[in-house]
Amino acid sequence: MASSINSLEAIQKKIDAVKLFLSVSLSIANAHTVDFYTCDVWDQFMAVPPVEVLTEITLNGDHKRAPEHYLNHGSGTTKKTTFGFCDDSKRLVDVAELLEAAYAHSLPGLGVCVGRTELLQSLRHTDNAQPLEEVPAAVVESDEFMNSKKSHEVQAMSEVVASLAQRCRVKQVIDVGSGKGYLCSFLSLQYGLQVYGIDSSSVNTHGAQERNRKLKKYSRAYQRHSKANRTQTVMPPSGQEDLEDIAPEDNSLPELDQSDPASAPEDPFLSALCVGMVEPTSPRVPPSELSLEERERRKRENLERKARSWVNSGGMGSGMLYSPLTSYVTAETELKEIIGELEDAVMVGLHTCGDLAPSTLRMFVAKRELLSVCSVGCCYHLLSEEFDPTRQECPSSSVCGFPLSGYLREQSWFCGRNARMSACLALERVAKGQGIQMESLFYRAVLHVILRDHYSSFKSEKRVGNVYSKATSFVDYVWRALRRLELDESKLSDGVIQGYHDTYRPRMVEMEAFNMLKVTLAPCIEGLILLDRLCYLKEQEDVAFSTLVQLFDPLLSPRCYGVVGVKAPGTELSK
């Protein structure tokens, strides 16, 4: 990785380019869909028909000009434009230019990210790096039982985290916002790392602990099964019972059909990870069909086996490589108060929501024992902004999540909640036809017109909520919404409500086109947020290496970018 591409100065220039683009286009992302008709949003921002926008988005697939092209502030058209917006009216007049500029100012267009393979090669080809070791557990990639998204994320990120641990010569990993513990369990069982999963929800940590216990039990049984197959010996009856008894005790785990090796899942561990997402295979003999004597026999042998395991292992604490912990953590949290046996460690976060992602990076910088970090954030709409004019999301006494870098803080940059919500949209999925639920947005916008006309621009702390999913028609939707808002229903009738629907239905295409433009801008807003986090790491003197890496396939996992940092001294990686 060339240092000139990834230097602090280079990242600051990329930030400047994205800021310039968003200073012109961000108003589209910040427009609220609820106000679409009451504020006449289309005419306010657009000087082109909606069909032209949709056609251009569908046909124009090559939007790959360099960001420097747009610094000239001109498109060569008769009207002077900037990124497709008329400099005089501030309305969009050139859709193609906007689409090209949006791609150029996204992370792929900026060329600032490295690939996962490139990062792994850089981490491993250094003097300090040691060969990546895996615990022999017969784990092979398979999505037969596991949700494909979770399987993809866990496998891709765990290899990077394990490589960071090898690079820094540490055995501890701290997973912040660990949730159900999928990543933690995989890191501990596949790579033999000592993982502490910290989550603020006691429900999550209790569930993760129980799930990990079952996974360890299943993994040990499978290893015995695999070892017996490799040595071509007949498995003794006790080993068979180990495998058979797991399924009756916990039907959410898959059962191996030993009579047909080809029918066994290729990856039993990953299959077992998907507790709650699994459609379990049926056991050869359903537990309900077992005789009372057989059920009692299996139960008794299970208890005896657990007792022997307790004695042989020296107690429950022995060999526990994954420890779920319940705690609310910030950059000021003393990790030693939570983790009694804290050593030098890697800090990770897989899809940490809102402010937790920047807090993870702050902890990494502040704690001497944290030698590296790999953070993948999500839920940008939950970020608090320091320079929010309303100060509603970030009180003056709090540490805000955005901006994180000193560079953007000096410029008092502010995105806005609607823009951050737009950043959560998945461009790649929408491009493949997995579009936005437009009818629900349309219903809500027309409801707002009704509230304006009949309830004096009614405003309330109450929310309409997910009424759409229960409604059978627009008329039914409005009645349900009025009841939710506790408004006088006598002011309206079915005919009046249907009239509003029929009036605005031809204009639904405007909303569709406008929201597609929001989707197009989403990667640019996300890119600025992530560049800000990378810039923050670049500003730290003791961070020897930092980069953005695309960890996941965006079609499977739209929040696919990770922020990686290493504090290890003497690294050969370019900062």
Side-chain angles (χ1 to χ4, degrees), residues 16-35:
D16 289 340
V18 179
K19 277 178 51 211
L20 180 62
F21 172 65
L22 291 179
S23 67
V24 176
S25 60
L26 196 63
S27 56
I28 289 180
N30 267 321
H32 205 303
T33 306
V34 167
D35 301 319

Side-chain angles (χ1 to χ4, degrees), residues 330-335 347 358-370 536-537 540 542-543 567:
T330 67
E332 290 73 37
T333 301
E334 286 295 335
L335 294 175
M347 174 160 278
S359 290
T360 299
L361 298 179
R362 285 192 173 106
M363 275 188 276
F364 163 66
V365 169
K367 311 301 180 187
R368 178 188 56 79
E369 48 280 319
L370 300 178
Y536 170 74
L537 293 185
Q540 312 306 316
D542 60 342
V543 176
K567 267 195 270 188

Side-chain angles (χ1 to χ4, degrees), residues 25-226:
S25 60
L26 196 63
S27 56
I28 289 180
N30 267 321
H32 205 303
T33 306
V34 167
D35 301 319
F36 192 80
Y37 297 121
T38 56
C39 295
D40 208 1
V41 169
W42 183 263
D43 287 340
Q44 182 180 347
F45 294 104
M46 302 291 148
V48 293
V51 174
E52 180 178 331
V53 173
L54 293 174
T55 301
E56 193 65 43
I57 289 175
T58 301
L59 298 179
N60 193 344
D62 186 15
H63 315 307
K64 299 184 178 180
R65 295 182 185 175
E68 292 77 11
H69 166 82
Y70 299 97
L71 297 178
N72 297 325
H73 301 281
S75 63
T77 59
T78 55
K79 291 184 179 181
K80 189 177 181 182
T81 63
T82 304
F83 306 126
F85 289 86
C86 175
D87 289 349
D88 296 328
S89 68
K90 310 301 180 186
R91 299 166 75 199
L92 181 64
V93 295
D94 190 332
V95 180
E97 185 179 358
L98 174 63
L99 298 180
E100 291 172 354
Y103 176 82
H105 295 92
S106 66
L107 291 180
L110 292 167
V112 72
C113 287
V114 300
R116 193 177 71 94
T117 301
E118 181 183 355
L119 175 65
L120 290 172
Q121 291 174 347
S122 297
L123 291 172
R124 293 168 183 171
H125 288 83
T126 60
D127 290 339
N128 290 338
Q130 299 175 349
L132 187 62
E133 298 179 357
E134 295 185 5
V135 175
V139 178
V140 184
E141 182 177 357
S142 172
D143 294 328
E144 183 177 356
F145 296 97
M146 188 178 180
N147 172 283
S148 60
K149 177 179 182 292
K150 184 59 63 179
S151 171
H152 174 63
E153 293 166 353
V154 165
Q155 292 185 82
M157 189 165 180
S158 64
E159 188 175 8
V160 171
V161 173
S163 295
L164 287 169
Q166 290 278 2
R167 171 65 186 82
C168 298
R169 297 189 175 185
V170 301
K171 296 296 289 183
Q172 280 193 1
V173 175
I174 301 173
D175 185 358
V176 180
S178 54
K180 296 181 179 180
Y182 294 126
L183 179 63
C184 296
S185 294
F186 193 93
L187 285 169
S188 65
L189 291 174
Q190 175 76 351
Y191 293 102
L193 295 167
Q194 184 178 22
V195 186
Y196 293 93
I198 304 176
D199 198 276
S200 61
S201 169
S202 59
V203 174
N204 278 343
T205 52
H206 176 75
Q209 191 168 23
E210 180 65 13
R211 182 178 297 106
N212 190 60
R213 182 189 68 79
K214 295 172 182 177
L215 291 176
K216 288 181 68 179
K217 179 179 179 181
Y218 184 76
S219 179
R220 286 194 298 267
Y222 183 79
Q223 287 181 56
R224 289 193 295 272
H225 175 66
S226 299

Side-chain angles (χ1 to χ4, degrees), residues 319-470:
M320 290 291 287
L321 293 178
Y322 166 38
S323 303
L325 305 170
T326 302
S327 179
Y328 180 82
V329 294
T330 67
E332 290 73 37
T333 301
E334 286 295 335
L335 294 175
K336 290 182 179 180
E337 295 180 0
I338 305 173
I339 304 171
E341 301 176 352
L342 180 65
E343 302 172 358
D344 289 346
V346 177
M347 174 160 278
V348 303
L350 174 55
H351 290 151
T352 46
C353 291
D355 286 348
L356 186 55
S359 290
T360 299
L361 298 179
R362 285 192 173 106
M363 275 188 276
F364 163 66
V365 169
K367 311 301 180 187
R368 178 188 56 79
E369 48 280 319
L370 300 178
L371 300 188
S372 60
V373 67
C374 182
S375 171
V376 181
C378 67
C379 303
Y380 302 126
H381 60 293
L382 298 179
L383 272 175
S384 59
E385 294 200 63
E386 181 176 357
F387 302 104
D388 176 1
T390 65
R391 301 295 291 175
Q392 291 179 350
E393 297 179 324
C394 186
S396 56
S397 59
S398 301
V399 177
C400 297
F402 181 84
L404 186 61
S405 67
Y407 188 68
L408 268 184
R409 292 185 67 208
E410 288 174 358
Q411 302 172 56
S412 303
W413 183 262
F414 171 70
C415 284
R417 187 176 189 276
N418 289 336
R420 286 183 281 109
M421 188 170 289
S422 297
C424 298
L425 298 171
L427 173 62
E428 290 80 8
R429 286 185 174 181
V430 173
K432 292 294 183 180
Q434 301 174 34
I436 304 170
Q437 177 53 263
M438 201 60 58
E439 188 177 64
S440 65
L441 299 176
F442 171 71
Y443 278 15
R444 184 63 184 87
V446 178
L447 172 65
H448 206 58
V449 177
I450 294 174
L451 295 178
R452 177 197 64 185
D453 293 350
H454 295 272
Y455 297 93
S456 302
S457 298
F458 172 79
K459 292 184 179 180
S460 171
E461 294 299 321
K462 293 183 175 61
R463 294 182 176 273
V464 173
N466 190 22
V467 172
Y468 174 81
S469 64
K470 302 176 183 178

